[in-house]
Amino acid sequence: MSKPHTASAPVEPAPASNFLRSIIDADIASQKYANRTDTAGQALPQVITRFPPEPNGYLHIGHAKSICLNFGLARDYQGRTHLRFDDTNPAKEEQEYVDTILDSVQWLGFSWTQDGVAHLHYASDYFERLYAMAEYLITAGHAYVDSQSADDMAANRGNFNQPGKDSPFRNRPAAESLAMFRRMKAGEFADGAHILRARIDMASPNMNLRDPAIYRIRHAHHHRTGDAWCIYPMYDYTHPISDALENITHSICTLEFQDHRPFYDWILERMAEGGFFAKPLPHQYEFARLNMTYVVTSKRKLRELVEEHIVDGWDDPRMPTLVGMRRRGFTPEAIQLFCERTGVTKSDSWIDIATLDGCLREDLDPKAPRATAVLRPLKLVIDNFPADEVIDCHAPVHPQFPERGNRTVPISATLWIEQDDFMEVPSKGYFRLFPGNKVRLRYGFVIECTGCDKDADGNVIAVHCNYFADSKSGTEGSANYKVKGNIHWLSVAHALEAEVRLYDRLFTDPQPDAGGKDFKLALNPNAKEVVTAFVEPGLATARPDDKFQFERHGYFVADRVDASATRLVFNRITTLKDSWAK
């Protein structure tokens, strides 16, 4: 990576709001989590966070916010972050998702390994202990086996305006519930026949405290434990216990879990009473999830896009998945910068996707070497250029960093230019090629347009011009020519053909699925355009994930293609400026 440009240091914006830092500062000042040790007697840091994805899909930009928040806070406070897979729902979880999540977290620039110890965990690691604690809840009178049907259970739960009704099995003796629970574990019952519930308060105004389920029967193969279990713990039961087992200090969730926090606390208090955990216990904090315009992050809706072949897979560059953004050419640094700048609050709000694009341009601009590409080619014939002559022109690899050197671009008698660089009848203020006008071939010579060729339908198929041999850029003679137009070009004999995919926003509506709208009605028909283009010969060595600024057109990344393919493929990462700005 090149050294940062220091000619004019940008003014750093004020740090974004993050209320969690104030909480952590207070906890450290009070020594709330000081002087703790793990089971091996090793001192524990005062800040331990966790990122707990369910391996049932691909991570998206919303998950990136959580990853950057949890790993970033732990880094800044000399703590650590655990990566824990919430793998308690075997029907929807696969090893494929585990693998892509591991890869995505590392690609974003974070690690769950500290001092040689990998803090990588799975909820399934704790199945035996979770089960033992459930048995304790039963024997202590805090849980019971409910044998109602699912419909009866739902009807008796009540609603926000009506308290729930006690299950007829709520006062089932602890010994009977324990025996039933063990039979559930032994596989004696069908799915849904019984369920283990916490005994809390069926009249609570918080629906999450109305005797929530903590274990259900599910005869399904688990991607890690196989068929060893046919009962699985619920997330709201597993989450706080896993946090406590891992000595998590600050358990950070999105706002939809705020109403679940009382049950989180209830579970941990009961387990502390039973001697399973010592205080201080983990504490859950909630922040507003990332809502970004022109984006859908629902896993269900993203799956629809993939399964209905609206997009070309989970890593389609139009997708907000991290694998899609990576293939699009987003950088980890840009995503981290975006997550930092959007701050952390407890108020829901919408972040304009232009903010993300701005962070991307800010990161790419000093890094990306420049290159020339002609996306919509039109032939330009220099009639007075010697037919067999080739002259090397030189352009900077990066105009702000001369130490990176120059790239060589050959010029010959026949060139490719952009179609919109010629108008037979120019509009007002048009300074590029038209009959009788002079322009400079960027980094090359000044030319004067003499006319054009057309096909039988009247379409322009070639433009003709003459060049001025003493006008080459970088020579003394170039100062004698004053022209207003400056156009990009490539030698037909030397340019490389490439497939260029021009990606744009997937939706035309800034809030495509808000208010129950059918998000597929807002699909952008112009979100992907594939053109056959030409690029400068130096890009023959481009490798997948190499990024460039195609002068005039934007930032592009070399895409992955089949191993047998020899063609060049580039994806547009973003334009040079916001083309959606009004």
Side-chain angles (χ1 to χ4, degrees):
M1 185 184 301
S2 300
K3 295 179 180 179
H5 179 48
T6 57
S8 57
V11 177
E12 288 294 327
S17 171
N18 186 339
F19 73 93
L20 291 169
R21 292 186 182 276
S22 298
I23 292 171
I24 294 174
D25 288 339
D27 287 345
I28 291 176
S30 69
Q31 298 284 285
K32 180 177 180 179
Y33 293 105
N35 305 314
R36 299 184 310 150
T37 58
D38 61 19
T39 55
Q42 297 295 313
L44 291 167
Q46 294 192 60
V47 176
I48 304 178
T49 61
R50 86 289 173 270
F51 174 60
E54 182 180 0
N56 65 348
Y58 286 76
L59 299 184
H60 54 63
I61 183 62
H63 294 111
K65 175 85 172 184
S66 181
I67 293 169
C68 292
L69 176 59
N70 280 287
F71 282 90
L73 286 172
R75 173 199 61 208
D76 294 346
Y77 287 94
Q78 293 76 54
R80 72 185 188 216
T81 299
H82 294 193
L83 175 58
R84 181 204 311 143
F85 287 97
D86 170 38
D87 57 345
T88 59
N89 188 2
K92 296 183 178 180
E93 297 158 2
E94 298 178 19
Q95 186 62 39
E96 172 191 355
Y97 300 133
V98 171
D99 294 340
T100 185
I101 290 169
L102 293 171
D103 184 62
S104 291
V105 172
Q106 291 177 314
W107 173 71
L108 272 178
F110 299 105
S111 174
W112 50 87
T113 298
Q114 184 184 61
D115 299 327
V117 178
H119 299 284
L120 175 63
H121 304 283
Y122 297 80
S124 55
D125 292 339
Y126 311 133
F127 279 175
E128 290 289 351
R129 281 180 279 186
L130 288 162
Y131 176 81
M133 292 181 200
E135 284 204 349
Y136 161 74
L137 288 178
I138 295 171
T139 58
H142 298 309
Y144 63 96
V145 172
D146 193 349
S147 302
Q148 293 181 94
S149 69
D151 289 343
D152 287 345
M153 195 177 302
N156 289 333
R157 191 162 180 255
N159 53 48
F160 290 109
N161 300 312
Q162 181 180 11
K165 297 178 182 178
D166 286 356
S167 164
F169 302 96
R170 194 172 195 266
N171 294 318
R172 178 175 256 161
E176 183 180 335
S177 280
L178 184 61
M180 292 281 291
F181 189 50
R182 289 174 175 173
R183 291 175 65 193
M184 288 166 58
K185 178 178 182 290
E188 294 185 23
F189 305 111
D191 290 4
H194 307 284
I195 196 165
L196 182 66
R197 300 176 72 177
R199 183 184 283 111
I200 306 180
D201 181 6
M202 288 301 294
S204 172
N206 186 336
M207 300 286 287
N208 297 290
L209 294 180
R210 294 185 184 178
D211 291 10
I214 57 178
Y215 261 93
R216 80 285 206 194
I217 302 171
R218 179 157 293 175
H219 293 268
H221 185 81
H222 190 280
H223 71 99
R224 293 186 76 240
T225 61
D227 299 315
W229 293 85
C230 62
I231 57 170
Y232 291 94
M234 305 298 289
Y235 174 79
D236 279 354
Y237 171 73
T238 307
H239 172 211
I241 294 175
S242 299
D243 282 351
L245 288 169
E246 296 175 21
N247 298 300
I248 302 302
T249 57
H250 302 80
S251 183
I252 302 168
C253 306
T254 46
L255 278 177
E256 61 262 37
F257 290 98
Q258 183 169 282
D259 290 341
H260 298 241
R261 190 186 341 133
F263 183 50
Y264 180 101
D265 294 339
W266 185 91
I267 284 288
L268 291 184
E269 287 293 337
R270 301 294 80 75
M271 294 307 162
E273 291 169 0
F276 292 97
F277 304 123
K279 294 185 177 182
L281 299 166
H283 189 88
Q284 177 178 303
Y285 301 93
E286 304 84 25
F287 72 100
R289 68 184 303 164
L290 177 65
N291 295 309
M292 194 162 62
T293 59
Y294 299 97
V295 167
V296 164
T297 55
S298 159
K299 283 184 180 179
R300 176 182 62 81
K301 294 171 183 176
L302 294 177
R303 188 179 297 279
E304 282 185 46
L305 294 175
V306 172
E307 292 179 349
E308 295 177 18
H309 304 291
I310 294 171
V311 296
D312 302 324
W314 288 102
D315 67 344
D316 187 302
R318 293 166 291 181
M319 291 279 275
T321 54
L322 294 185
V323 290
M325 295 176 72
R326 182 177 182 177
R327 190 174 174 196
R328 174 78 170 258
F330 278 79
T331 63
E333 295 84 357
I335 295 173
Q336 288 189 39
L337 179 62
F338 169 73
C339 292
E340 180 66 28
R341 285 194 177 163
T342 52
V344 182
T345 71
K346 292 184 76 73
S347 302
D348 280 321
S349 61
W350 286 86
I351 305 297
D352 194 329
I353 195 174
T355 304
L356 176 59
D357 288 338
C359 291
L360 184 58
R361 295 186 189 99
E362 186 175 331
D363 183 61
L364 287 174
D365 180 60
K367 296 177 179 178
R370 279 25 178 184
T372 300
V374 176
L375 303 188
R376 305 179 196 280
L378 173 64
K379 193 163 288 186
L380 174 69
V381 181
I382 309 176
D383 292 312
N384 66 333
F385 198 97
D388 298 327
E389 188 167 356
V390 175
I391 298 175
D392 285 341
C393 296
H394 302 284
V397 171
H398 197 297
Q400 296 174 340
F401 303 100
E403 66 274 16
R404 297 187 192 176
N406 292 322
R407 61 191 204 270
T408 299
V409 187
I411 190 169
S412 59
T414 308
L415 309 178
W416 293 118
I417 63 171
E418 294 287 349
Q419 292 176 11
D420 59 6
D421 279 346
F422 172 78
M423 292 183 71
E424 191 173 12
V425 179
S427 58
K428 184 178 180 180
Y430 186 82
F431 299 117
R432 285 168 275 174
L433 280 176
F434 56 86
N437 193 46
K438 296 185 181 69
V439 302
R440 177 172 291 281
L441 297 173
R442 188 169 173 83
Y443 310 121
F445 297 90
V446 171
I447 59 172
E448 182 176 7
C449 181
T450 58
C452 63
D453 298 331
K454 298 181 181 179
D455 63 15
D457 297 321
N459 300 308
V460 175
I461 56 174
V463 177
H464 289 266
C465 68
N466 289 318
Y467 88 116
F468 299 90
D470 62 344
S471 66
K472 186 182 179 185
S473 294
T475 66
E476 292 184 6
S478 66
N480 298 324
Y481 295 85
K482 305 296 182 184
V483 295
K484 294 183 177 180
N486 191 319
I487 67 172
H488 292 79
W489 54 273
L490 289 170
S491 166
V492 169
H494 302 87
L496 304 174
E497 185 176 298
E499 177 181 306
V500 174
R501 300 163 181 168
L502 303 174
Y503 289 107
D504 205 344
R505 298 175 186 177
L506 188 55
F507 299 98
T508 57
D509 186 331
Q511 297 180 21
D513 59 347
K517 290 183 289 189
D518 182 351
F519 69 104
K520 286 183 281 190
L521 296 178
L523 285 165
N524 180 8
N526 300 314
K528 177 183 178 182
E529 180 186 5
V530 181
V531 299
T532 299
F534 292 95
V535 298
E536 66 180 62
L539 295 186
T541 57
R543 295 293 179 262
D545 297 327
D546 284 352
K547 299 171 181 65
F548 305 89
Q549 185 197 101
F550 287 175
E551 295 180 353
R552 172 177 177 174
H553 296 298
Y555 295 96
F556 291 76
V557 62
D559 196 8
R560 303 185 300 274
V561 295
D562 295 337
S564 60
T566 57
R567 63 194 174 117
L568 292 169
V569 179
F570 294 94
N571 296 331
R572 183 169 65 190
I573 309 171
T574 188
T575 52
L576 292 176
K577 59 183 180 180
D578 185 4
S579 59
W580 288 68
K582 295 182 180 179

